[in-house]
Amino acid sequence: MSTSQTRPQAMRPGELLRWAWTQLTSMRTALTLLFLLALGAIPGSVIPQRSQSAIKVSDFKENNPGLDRFYEPLGMYDVYTSPWFSAIYLLLTGSLIGCIVPRIRVYWKAVRGRPSRIPSRLDRLPEHRLVAATEGDGLDRAEQWLRKRRFRTERTTLDDGTEGISAERGYLREFGNLLFHLSLVVMLLGVAWNNLLGFKGSTIMVEGQGFSNSITQYDEYRAGSWVDTDNLTPFTMDLKRFIVKFETGQVQRGAAREFRAEIDVHEGESTRSETVRVNHPVTVAGNKVHLIGHGYAAHVTVTDGKGEAAWSGPVVFLPQDGNFTSSGVIKAPDARPERLAMQGVFLPTAPEEGMMGQSIFPDAFNPKLFLNAWYGPPKQETGKPENIYALDTSDMTQFTQDGDIVRFMLEPGQGFDLPDGKGSVTFDGWSRWSKVQISRAPGLPLLFGSVAAGIIGLCLSLFVRPRRLWVRTRVAQDGSQQIEVAGLDRADARTGLTEHVDELAAAAAGTAGEHSKEKK
C-alpha cells in the first residue's frame, strides 16, 4: 500500500501580504523595532557624524583607517539618514499605526456600547455582598449612588423576571493607553518632518558687518533633503554692536553678566531693529535666530613687498579659554612677490610683562596681538575650500632673523616691518564678533504637543482604574427580597473596590447613613 504525502501549498501574494502585515503589527514586533531603533542610535552618539562636524569625521577617518573600512559602507558617519536606520524608523511607524488602529476601533465600540451584562453567578466575583432589601426601591438608590460617582449605568430585566443594574467606569484608562501610543507615532512624524523640512546653520558676524541668507554665507549648514537651498527665504542682518559685561569685583571676577547683540533686520523693503540675547531668540522670516557664541576680531592691514595693501580688515580669533585667550590666522594670498601669512594669539587683557601668555581678564582692557609670520610662493587658485582658522605651512617658510624665529607683539595702532623688505603688518584695532545660529524646525510644535499628550496619556493609564459593578434583586428561599451586589476591577490592583462594593450595598439596602457612621 503506497501513501502519498501532500506538500503544503505556497501562500498566494494576498495571503503573504496579510501574513506580513499581521507580523508587522504585532506588539512583539513593535517592541523589537523600538529596541532596534534605540540600539541603532548608539553609533550616532559615539561615532562622529557629518551633520555635526565634518572636520571631526575627517580626523576620525584619518586616525582609524581600519574602522573606516567598515564604517563608511555601513553609513556610520550618517547614522540617522542611513538606509538601515530609516528602514527601522519607517517599520516602527507602520507597526505602531497597525497596532493602534484596531484598538481605536474596539475602544470606540466599547464607549458607544452598553455596559457589560450582569453575570449569572455574582457570588463568584472577587467582591460580593448580599443584603436584605428595605422599604423603597433599592435599585433606585443604588443607581443614584452610581450616577453620583460617574458610573455609566444600564437597568435591565433578567430572564428570571428580576431587575438589575450594570455599571461601568474607567474608560479613560484605555483612552490614556491609546493617547500615549498615538503620541509616539506623532513624535516619530514630527522628527521626520524636522529632518526633511528643517535646517540649521551658523555664521559669525563682526560688528559693522552683515549676513545675507544665502547658502554661501553660512559657516556651517545642515538641511533636510526636502529643503531647497537655492531658494532660501531672503533677508539680511547687520550687527550694529555686541554688548558684553563681565564682573569686575573680587567675587566671581570675570563672570559673564550680560550678552546681547543689537542687529538690524531687512526683510524686503522693511527694516527693524532687534536685540538677541542668550536663550531669547528672535524670529526672522519664520526662522529662529539664536545667540550661541562671541569673541574678538583683530583689525589688521598687511602690506606686501611691493608696498600695496594685500589684506585689510577684521580677522576672527577663536577663544580658547574663559578669559578669551584667542587664536587666529591672518592670510594674505594676494601679496606679491610672495604671499604672506601670520598666525598667533589675541589677548584682550594681556599681562603687563612678557611677550606671550594668557589673557588675565575676558574684557578688552589691555589688548595685544602676538604673531609669527610666514612667506611662500604665490599659490594658484583651485576653488577648493580652506579652513580659515588653520594655516597650511607645508609650502611656506617661517621668517627668521639672525637664526631666530621672528615673533612680534603689537598693540592697537602699532606696526611691524617684516625682514628682507617683504612687507609689514599693522594692528589697527579690534571689535567684537557674534556667532548666531539660524534654524527652522517646522515639526517642533508637533514634538512638544506629542510629548505633552504622551505624559497625559501615561498618567491616565496609570491612575485611572476601570471598574465594573452590578446590582440585582433576588428572592430568598423564605420568600424575602434581597439585593445582591458584586464588583470587578479590570486592572490588576483592587484598591478601593471593597469600599465601593460595601458602600453600594449599604446604599441599596437603605443603610448608607449607618454605614458611613461605622466607617468614621
Side-chain angles (χ1 to χ4, degrees):
M1 182 177 178
S2 62
T3 60
S4 60
Q5 295 181 351
T6 58
R7 295 181 180 179
Q9 295 182 354
M11 288 188 291
R12 298 175 182 176
E15 294 173 340
L16 182 61
L17 288 175
R18 191 180 301 111
W19 175 84
W21 177 252
T22 303
Q23 297 300 314
L24 178 64
T25 56
S26 66
M27 186 57 66
R28 179 181 299 177
T29 302
L31 292 175
T32 302
L33 290 171
L34 189 61
F35 173 75
L36 289 177
L37 190 72
L39 192 65
I42 294 177
S45 59
V46 176
I47 302 172
Q49 299 294 293
R50 287 193 177 95
S51 60
Q52 298 176 351
S53 177
I55 296 177
K56 290 183 178 180
V57 172
S58 299
D59 294 340
F60 182 88
K61 295 176 70 172
E62 184 178 349
N63 297 329
N64 303 274
L67 292 175
D68 178 61
R69 196 179 307 118
F70 300 98
Y71 284 0
E72 185 65 50
L74 293 175
M76 289 299 179
Y77 304 120
D78 300 282
V79 168
Y80 304 111
T81 56
S82 62
W84 57 268
F85 191 87
S86 301
I88 298 174
Y89 191 92
L90 292 175
L91 287 173
L92 177 60
T93 304
S95 179
L96 287 174
I97 293 175
C99 291
I100 293 171
V101 170
R103 291 180 60 183
I104 292 177
R105 191 181 301 115
V106 172
Y107 176 73
W108 179 250
K109 289 181 179 179
V111 171
R112 291 176 58 87
R114 302 153 71 181
S116 59
R117 295 178 56 188
I118 301 176
S120 58
R121 295 292 302 272
L122 291 178
D123 56 335
R124 292 184 176 179
L125 295 178
E127 296 292 340
H128 175 260
R129 305 289 184 275
L130 188 63
V131 295
T134 57
E135 295 183 359
D137 193 339
L139 291 182
D140 286 343
R141 291 191 295 267
E143 188 171 13
Q144 183 180 3
W145 185 92
L146 290 167
R147 289 185 180 276
K148 186 176 180 181
R149 285 154 182 80
R150 297 183 179 179
F151 278 85
R152 192 159 62 101
T153 63
E154 184 184 41
R155 196 161 178 169
T156 58
T157 301
L158 306 179
D159 296 337
D160 58 0
T162 59
E163 287 187 308
I165 300 174
S166 298
E168 191 170 356
R169 79 175 187 184
Y171 291 95
L172 285 178
R173 181 186 180 91
E174 179 62 14
F175 175 79
N177 281 327
L178 293 174
L179 183 62
F180 176 76
H181 288 88
L182 278 173
S183 68
L184 291 179
V185 176
V186 175
M187 186 183 303
L188 291 174
L189 294 176
V191 172
W193 192 3
N194 272 345
N195 288 337
L196 292 174
L197 293 172
F199 74 88
K200 181 185 295 185
S202 62
T203 185
I204 290 179
M205 295 191 299
V206 181
E207 287 179 319
Q209 295 186 352
F211 164 80
S212 179
N213 191 31
S214 172
I215 188 67
T216 58
Q217 294 283 299
Y218 286 94
D219 298 328
E220 299 174 349
Y221 188 84
R222 179 168 59 91
S225 57
W226 290 1
V227 175
D228 186 1
T229 56
D230 295 330
N231 294 286
L232 300 179
T233 307
F235 69 86
T236 60
M237 297 185 300
D238 297 324
L239 178 61
K240 293 189 295 184
R241 32 174 214 161
F242 186 83
I243 300 172
V244 58
K245 294 180 180 179
F246 298 97
E247 177 63 50
T248 57
Q250 295 301 319
V251 180
Q252 294 186 339
R253 181 177 176 84
R257 296 306 182 203
E258 183 181 9
F259 298 132
R260 73 174 188 270
E262 296 183 355
I263 61 175
D264 284 337
V265 179
H266 308 278
E267 294 183 67
E269 298 181 355
S270 63
T271 300
R272 69 179 189 275
S273 297
E274 296 279 4
T275 300
V276 188
R277 293 182 172 87
V278 178
N279 297 327
H280 291 82
V282 299
T283 302
V284 179
N287 306 310
K288 291 291 185 180
V289 179
H290 293 260
L291 181 62
I292 60 174
H294 68 99
Y296 293 94
H299 292 253
V300 177
T301 299
V302 178
T303 304
D304 60 17
K306 294 183 177 181
E308 298 180 357
W311 168 263
S312 181
V315 178
V316 171
F317 280 70
L318 301 180
Q320 305 298 311
D321 58 25
N323 284 331
F324 283 77
T325 302
S326 306
S327 64
V329 172
I330 305 168
K331 298 181 181 181
D334 297 328
R336 294 296 182 268
E338 293 174 301
R339 58 190 175 100
L340 303 174
M342 278 69 65
Q343 63 179 2
V345 177
F346 174 83
L347 306 183
T349 302
E352 291 297 334
E353 298 179 358
M355 276 289 293
M356 294 292 290
Q358 293 181 328
S359 176
I360 59 176
F361 195 78
D363 212 343
F365 290 146
N366 185 29
K368 292 182 180 180
L369 189 61
F370 298 86
L371 297 173
N372 296 328
W374 302 73
Y375 67 95
K379 192 174 182 180
Q380 184 178 2
E381 296 289 343
T382 61
K384 184 179 179 180
E386 291 184 2
N387 187 349
I388 63 173
Y389 304 112
L391 179 62
D392 181 10
T393 60
S394 58
D395 58 347
M396 302 188 76
T397 303
Q398 191 168 14
F399 278 100
T400 59
Q401 195 167 27
D402 298 331
D404 296 327
I405 295 175
V406 174
R407 298 184 177 93
F408 52 96
M409 182 271 290
L410 298 176
E411 296 184 4
Q414 290 184 346
F416 179 82
D417 293 328
L418 298 173
D420 303 326
K422 294 186 181 297
S424 62
V425 183
T426 304
F427 181 23
D428 300 318
W430 60 272
S431 60
R432 300 184 190 272
W433 57 261
S434 171
K435 186 175 184 178
V436 296
Q437 175 183 284
I438 304 167
S439 61
R440 174 175 290 181
L444 206 56
L446 204 62
L447 283 173
F448 287 154
S450 63
V451 170
I455 294 174
I456 294 173
L458 189 61
C459 291
L460 290 175
S461 64
L462 290 176
F463 300 114
V464 174
R465 303 185 183 281
R467 181 162 294 170
R468 289 174 177 174
L469 296 175
W470 295 277
V471 184
R472 63 176 292 182
T473 60
R474 58 177 289 181
V475 180
Q477 292 181 354
D478 59 1
S480 62
Q481 292 288 330
Q482 292 180 324
I483 296 178
E484 195 174 10
V485 180
L488 175 68
D489 257 352
R490 296 172 61 191
D492 293 336
R494 292 169 52 186
T495 305
L497 178 61
T498 302
E499 290 79 1
H500 264 177
V501 173
D502 288 339
E503 292 176 10
L504 179 58
T511 59
E514 299 176 5
H515 178 77
S516 62
K517 290 179 181 179
E518 292 177 2
K519 192 174 181 180
K520 292 180 181 178

